[in-house]
Amino acid sequence: MFAKSALALIAAAQLAIPLGRPRLIEQARAPIESAGPRWAVACDDTSDPNKPAPPVRIHANTYLVGTCGLSSILIVGDQGDILIDGAAEQDAELIADNIRALGYRVRDILFILASHEHFDHVGGITKLQRLSGAQVVSSAPAAKIISAGVPAINDPQFGVTKPFPPAQIGRIVGDGGEVRLGNLMVTAMTTPGHAAGSLSWRWVSCDGGVCRTIVYADILAPVSNDTYRFSDHPAVVAAFRSSIAKIADSPCEILVTPTPSVSKMPERLALGKPLLDDQACKAYAAERSRDVDERLAKEAAPAPNLKP
């Protein structure tokens, strides 16, 4: 009697699984050779950062699960998963759907790591935390902003950045801080400049015997409101220089950034080739260094004479 009942329950459970689901999961986890071009076609040089994008397997257990213009990274482990960034508030459900499309469960996310405290990268964390029950990890400066949901008045982009739903911070890490979960270990790198609480993250993903060091390098662009002058804030400029050097010196075989276009992700995915490039972080750092130099030079240039 018990055996028959058990078999009946199993049969019922199998019937409840949509027939096409395994095939859809297999397609979502497809190699980057096919998944990359599919992502590029879906995004198609869009100017809408919140446009839905399909998930892409970056390498091994690491997936890109955000929008066309805002990254969110899923790292799958044997004792639970780690998510980096939650994009904007309206993108949380899309991220959750992309995770489900891969065949993973949102409630298996035990840690959500933050890059920096701007609405378009942490705004979706509150809902994702509610869906998963995960512990949110950030730097100390970012924790104050994320837990309040209100931009800092000393942020170069103050007045441009928007408020967002506050999230509960479960853990604060500093430079070299490690988030460990089963077979996963993600290391924090403090990279302030773009925001005071900026963190970049580094980990190793292995596919069989092929292991790659992946760096999620935070934005290091000197972006501001119309009145902020970086040349008036030498400590911020020094922070930029130090952060850029840290990314250049980091072990790095695959580069990912919170805004995909900043690391030329659309072009790289469109090629349909593995993202391996052991010079990517150095090149990224060199470009950001030029950005800072150009911004300081622009601020130092004399104001144009508008008299006739």
Side-chain angles (χ1 to χ4, degrees):
M1 176 70 73
F2 177 81
K4 289 182 178 179
S5 299
L7 288 172
L9 287 172
I10 293 171
Q14 288 175 337
L15 287 172
I17 299 173
L19 294 177
R21 175 107 173 121
R23 186 172 182 179
L24 290 173
I25 291 173
E26 183 180 357
Q27 183 184 40
R29 297 188 192 179
I32 201 165
E33 286 81 357
S34 57
R38 188 161 59 243
W39 187 98
V41 169
C43 292
D44 190 29
D45 295 326
T46 180
S47 59
D48 177 8
N50 306 110
K51 183 177 180 181
V56 177
R57 186 183 185 189
I58 298 297
H59 177 73
N61 60 337
T62 298
Y63 298 87
L64 181 66
V65 293
T67 70
C68 291
L70 299 168
S71 299
S72 182
I73 304 295
L74 178 70
I75 311 171
V76 178
D78 59 2
Q79 293 183 28
D81 306 335
I82 294 174
L83 187 72
I84 307 179
D85 276 351
E89 179 182 3
Q90 64 265 42
D91 302 320
E93 197 56 56
L94 166 69
I95 292 170
D97 286 344
N98 274 344
I99 292 168
R100 297 182 189 110
L102 290 165
Y104 300 117
R105 302 184 301 181
V106 177
R107 65 177 178 270
D108 287 339
I109 299 170
L110 301 188
F111 292 104
I112 300 176
L113 315 183
S115 58
H116 67 272
E117 60 273 25
H118 287 166
F119 75 97
D120 49 349
H121 301 288
V122 297
I125 283 180
T126 300
K127 185 168 187 178
L128 290 164
Q129 183 179 40
R130 187 165 62 248
L131 291 171
S132 64
Q135 185 178 85
V136 176
V137 183
S138 78
S139 68
K144 297 177 182 179
I145 307 305
I146 295 172
S147 60
V150 180
I153 60 173
N154 63 342
D155 191 301
Q157 295 184 60
F158 182 72
V160 178
T161 56
K162 303 174 184 177
F164 52 86
Q168 182 178 356
I169 302 297
R171 181 179 167 193
I172 292 173
V173 295
D175 194 44
E178 296 174 349
V179 178
R180 293 175 178 264
L181 178 61
N183 64 332
L184 304 180
M185 184 184 78
V186 186
T187 302
M189 296 182 283
T190 52
T191 49
H194 184 76
S198 170
L199 287 176
S200 297
W201 298 92
R202 182 179 66 241
W203 66 98
V204 175
S205 283
C206 297
D207 187 0
V210 181
C211 295
R212 302 299 185 200
T213 301
I214 302 177
V215 172
Y216 188 72
D218 199 15
I219 297 170
L220 289 167
V223 182
S224 73
N225 58 38
D226 292 338
T227 61
Y228 189 93
R229 288 170 50 86
F230 286 95
S231 50
D232 294 337
H233 301 274
V236 175
V237 175
F240 264 118
R241 303 291 191 198
S242 177
S243 299
I244 290 168
K246 192 176 294 183
I247 293 298
D249 292 342
S250 173
C252 174
E253 294 176 287
I254 296 175
L255 170 67
V256 192
T257 51
T259 303
S261 60
V262 169
S263 53
K264 301 178 176 61
M265 185 64 77
E267 298 91 329
R268 293 156 65 203
L269 289 176
L271 293 174
K273 297 179 180 179
L275 299 176
L276 177 65
D277 182 355
D278 60 7
Q279 297 300 307
C281 280
K282 287 182 171 58
Y284 178 70
E287 289 177 1
R288 302 293 76 79
S289 184
R290 286 194 294 272
D291 289 343
V292 174
D293 290 342
E294 289 172 3
R295 176 59 186 263
L296 294 174
K298 182 179 179 180
E299 291 179 0
N305 187 351
L306 300 179
K307 293 182 180 180

